[in-house]
Amino acid sequence: SQGLGLEVIPYGITSRVNDEQVVPAETTVSPDAGLDVNYSITPGLKASITVNTDFAETEVDQRQVNLTRFPLRFPEQRDFFLEGSNIYEFAPRSGVDPFFSRNIGLNRGQPVPITYGARLLGNAGKYNVALLHVRTGEDSGVNVNAENFTVARVRRNLGSESTIGVVYTRRATEDGPFSIEGLQDRHTFGTDLELGTSTFLGDKNLQFQAFFVGHNDAFSNAEETDIWDRSTRGIRINFPNQPWSGAVSYREFGEAYNPAVGFARRIGFRRVNPQVAYSPQLANSDLIQEMQWSIWVEHLMDMDFNVLTQQFRTTLLGINFTSGERFEFDLDRVYEVLVEPFDIRRDGTIIIPAGEYRKWQFDTSFETASFRKVSTELEFQYGEFWSGTQTEYSIEVTLRPFPGVDLNPEYIRNEVNLEEGSFSTDLFRFEGNYDFTTSLFLSSTIQYDNLSELIGLNMRLRWIITPGSDLYFVYNHNWIDRDNRFITLQNTATAKVRYTYRF
């Protein structure tokens, strides 16, 4: 029995921060508290209120080395925004994100205080509903004013295999010490349609997808732009079947497209993307379960139809073994136009000049079955890269020596040799999890890369007091390499307890 369907979840937290970046070093202790309230209106529809929200127990992001010209999209890790995230999905596999929750409560990866928030999530008949409003506070540490975020997503089922939906977001920045002149309330709106059938040609699957997203002018003192420049749109046809499968999509991102609560990796392009795959299953083989051959093509142009990128990616051979192992060998042919110089290390040391570049690259990978006590993923890439070559090696190992113990070291190395200069990157990650009991868990993450020269340690101990009630101890420590020795930048110790009262 759910009783009234009401949950009251207060939390208390205290943190001790030791900052070695200032002289003299500073140590601060900051206690705090907050409250979450959940109410199940129906078994499938839940309303929530959060006050002074904190995410101290959230897993850290996996560090990445970015050798591209475009920003990386880090996944959401916070439970408050992960719950019901499937409802927010918009035109899946079309590369459009009108709502990206990491814009709320984070600024370039640094936390921004959340004053309060309210949301409604769930299903009501044929409708999937997600409504969210969050207010964040002013923070001088990351130079942001107080802001209000509003998100609405409604999706309606059409039969058993089709949907139509709308999305709306608003980001309102209040005046303050970090105001941007001319910045207005930013509104984004969009709609997406997905039609599907599993009876095409008798027993085949066929899907059609279309979307449109646009927003208002963000700045009152900027040159006026057309809605076509401030929007993105596209269609996609998918044929997901065996042994033949394929898809073709077309999308456009305007030159002024910049959704205030969304994410856009690249703008100002038109893109055609056909692909086809043949994946026969070998029912009579004791060694091989499935083989695969595929062709993936990208033809990307600017808004005046001038070619920017052409890529032909061919899977020459992919094998899924009956034992759970997998092998794949891919070959790429890439033509790319660099419109402006590219600072590949982002420190001004190596600048790739604008121009046309043609590249051949190959990629081979092998991974063992994940259920084994020792499993591994190996990958090797080599090929032309701008004015020279790039070689990448990566290895990831998962060790499960005993029940409740999970160790996961990973190492990625890039060797880049260009006419403008050569360099290498090293990225090391280690994740370890140990389950003492069914209610007591320890997890740890260590990360290092030689570009930032930072080592980061995150350790988290979680004790489930009762289901829904937890005690966390979290420790973070950051070091930087200076004159061939690592010195502490900052360390933080946090204790947090939350308890759920159900009525």
Side-chain angles (χ1 to χ4, degrees):
S1 173
Q2 295 186 1
L4 296 176
L6 179 65
E7 294 180 337
V8 179
I9 311 170
Y11 82 84
I13 185 173
T14 183
S15 297
R16 180 184 183 275
V17 180
N18 178 38
D19 192 348
E20 300 284 346
Q21 301 179 73
V22 297
V23 179
E26 292 182 353
T27 299
T28 58
V29 177
S30 52
D32 207 348
L35 178 70
D36 293 341
V37 179
N38 300 321
Y39 177 63
S40 296
I41 301 171
T42 69
L45 190 63
K46 183 168 72 172
S48 303
I49 296 174
T50 182
V51 179
N52 200 25
T53 314
D54 179 85
F55 303 107
E57 72 279 10
T58 301
E59 295 181 14
V60 296
D61 289 323
Q62 285 196 341
R63 196 175 301 182
Q64 301 182 45
V65 173
N66 186 8
L67 298 181
T68 75
R69 293 168 288 157
F70 311 108
L72 298 175
R73 186 187 188 280
F74 287 88
E76 179 61 79
Q77 304 274 27
R78 299 166 295 176
D79 288 340
F80 179 81
F81 294 104
L82 285 174
E83 187 175 355
S85 58
N86 62 308
I87 301 177
Y88 291 110
E89 287 184 355
F90 185 90
R93 306 199 57 179
S94 289
V96 58
D97 290 300
F99 171 56
F100 183 46
S101 58
R102 285 179 66 102
N103 286 305
I104 304 176
L106 288 172
N107 186 307
R108 297 181 180 178
Q110 298 301 311
V112 176
I114 292 181
T115 307
Y116 64 82
R119 69 181 180 189
L120 179 68
L121 284 174
N123 307 316
K126 295 183 178 181
Y127 292 89
N128 302 305
V129 179
L131 305 177
L132 175 69
H133 180 81
V134 174
R135 177 180 172 82
T136 59
E138 179 183 308
D139 192 327
S140 59
V142 289
N143 297 340
V144 296
N145 294 328
E147 294 187 292
N148 289 285
F149 297 84
T150 303
V151 182
R153 171 66 165 154
V154 179
R155 192 171 61 210
R156 188 186 192 280
N157 297 325
L158 303 175
S160 60
E161 300 178 81
S162 303
T163 62
I164 185 171
V166 294
V167 65
Y168 167 77
T169 72
R170 173 179 176 262
R171 183 172 186 170
T173 305
E174 297 186 358
D175 290 334
F178 312 109
S179 296
I180 300 175
E181 183 181 355
L183 183 65
Q184 305 295 300
D185 283 3
R186 288 155 285 176
H187 304 270
T188 300
F189 54 90
T191 181
D192 62 332
L193 169 70
E194 183 167 325
L195 304 175
T197 177
S198 57
T199 58
F200 179 69
L201 297 178
D203 60 349
K204 302 298 182 183
N205 295 299
L206 185 66
Q207 299 166 346
F208 171 81
Q209 190 178 85
F211 70 87
F212 177 88
V213 180
H215 58 79
N216 69 330
D217 275 316
F219 297 92
S220 60
N221 56 6
E223 183 179 346
E224 186 176 349
T225 56
D226 187 85
I227 184 60
W228 211 244
D229 297 324
R230 290 182 275 107
S231 64
T232 176
R233 51 272 171 191
I235 60 172
R236 175 183 172 85
I237 299 174
N238 189 26
F239 184 75
N241 295 282
Q242 283 281 353
W244 289 98
S245 62
V248 60
S249 65
Y250 176 78
R251 70 188 72 155
E252 297 178 353
F253 279 67
E255 294 178 341
Y257 178 70
N258 184 20
V261 198
F263 179 85
R265 185 170 182 266
R266 184 174 186 174
I267 60 174
F269 68 85
R270 307 174 189 266
R271 181 177 183 265
V272 181
N273 177 209
Q275 53 191 293
V276 63
Y278 178 59
S279 307
Q281 295 188 349
L282 282 64
N284 298 323
S285 173
D286 295 330
L287 177 64
I288 298 175
Q289 177 183 352
E290 183 183 70
M291 302 186 71
Q292 183 180 37
W293 295 271
S294 67
I295 298 175
W296 183 93
V297 180
E298 178 184 51
H299 184 78
L300 191 145
M301 305 162 286
D302 64 18
M303 301 307 288
D304 294 322
F305 297 95
N306 300 308
V307 176
L308 297 177
T309 301
Q310 277 187 341
Q311 181 174 358
F312 296 85
R313 183 176 182 85
T314 304
T315 298
L316 297 177
L317 180 62
I319 303 176
N320 292 328
F321 295 91
T322 55
S323 59
E325 277 66 38
R326 174 169 175 79
F327 169 82
E328 186 170 318
F329 182 81
D330 301 315
L331 182 65
D332 283 4
R333 176 71 173 103
V334 183
Y335 166 79
E336 191 149 11
V337 177
L338 196 58
V339 178
E340 56 187 29
F342 170 38
D343 181 4
I344 189 170
R345 285 173 56 98
R346 292 170 172 81
D347 60 3
T349 58
I350 298 178
I351 307 296
I352 300 172
E356 298 182 5
Y357 295 87
R358 293 172 175 81
K359 318 169 193 177
W360 283 99
Q361 301 171 325
F362 76 85
D363 178 0
T364 183
S365 62
F366 177 77
E367 60 184 84
T368 61
S370 59
F371 63 82
R372 303 187 188 281
K373 284 190 173 182
V374 180
S375 60
T376 185
E377 295 184 22
L378 304 171
E379 187 170 1
F380 176 74
Q381 299 181 41
Y382 176 79
E384 296 167 299
F385 186 66
W386 301 118
S387 61
T389 62
Q390 177 191 19
T391 306
E392 180 178 320
Y393 317 83
S394 67
I395 178 171
E396 182 177 0
V397 180
T398 302
L399 306 172
R400 301 183 184 89
F402 310 104
V405 177
D406 193 329
L407 308 176
N408 183 213
E410 181 179 7
Y411 174 67
I412 303 173
R413 178 176 177 82
N414 275 282
E415 296 175 356
V416 180
N417 297 292
L418 306 172
E419 292 180 1
E420 298 76 23
S422 300
F423 66 97
S424 61
T425 70
D426 296 286
L427 173 61
F428 174 78
R429 288 194 292 257
F430 173 83
E431 297 180 4
N433 298 286
Y434 183 66
D435 302 342
F436 295 96
T437 67
T438 56
S439 60
L440 185 63
F441 319 98
L442 174 67
S443 63
S444 61
T445 301
I446 302 174
Q447 303 185 88
Y448 168 79
D449 73 270
N450 67 329
L451 292 186
S452 68
E453 299 182 322
L454 286 171
I455 292 180
L457 168 68
N458 170 263
M459 300 187 69
R460 182 179 63 165
L461 181 69
R462 179 188 182 190
W463 175 35
I464 302 177
I465 304 170
T466 61
S469 303
D470 306 273
L471 175 64
Y472 293 94
F473 293 100
V474 182
Y475 180 72
N476 291 290
H477 200 127
N478 294 309
W479 298 265
I480 191 169
D481 187 359
R482 288 290 181 264
D483 299 323
N484 295 319
R485 69 187 186 95
F486 287 97
I487 60 174
T488 295
L489 288 178
Q490 187 182 76
N491 58 71
T492 305
T494 302
K496 178 179 179 178
V497 62
R498 66 179 184 185
Y499 200 88
T500 300
Y501 297 91
R502 293 186 173 92
F503 302 94

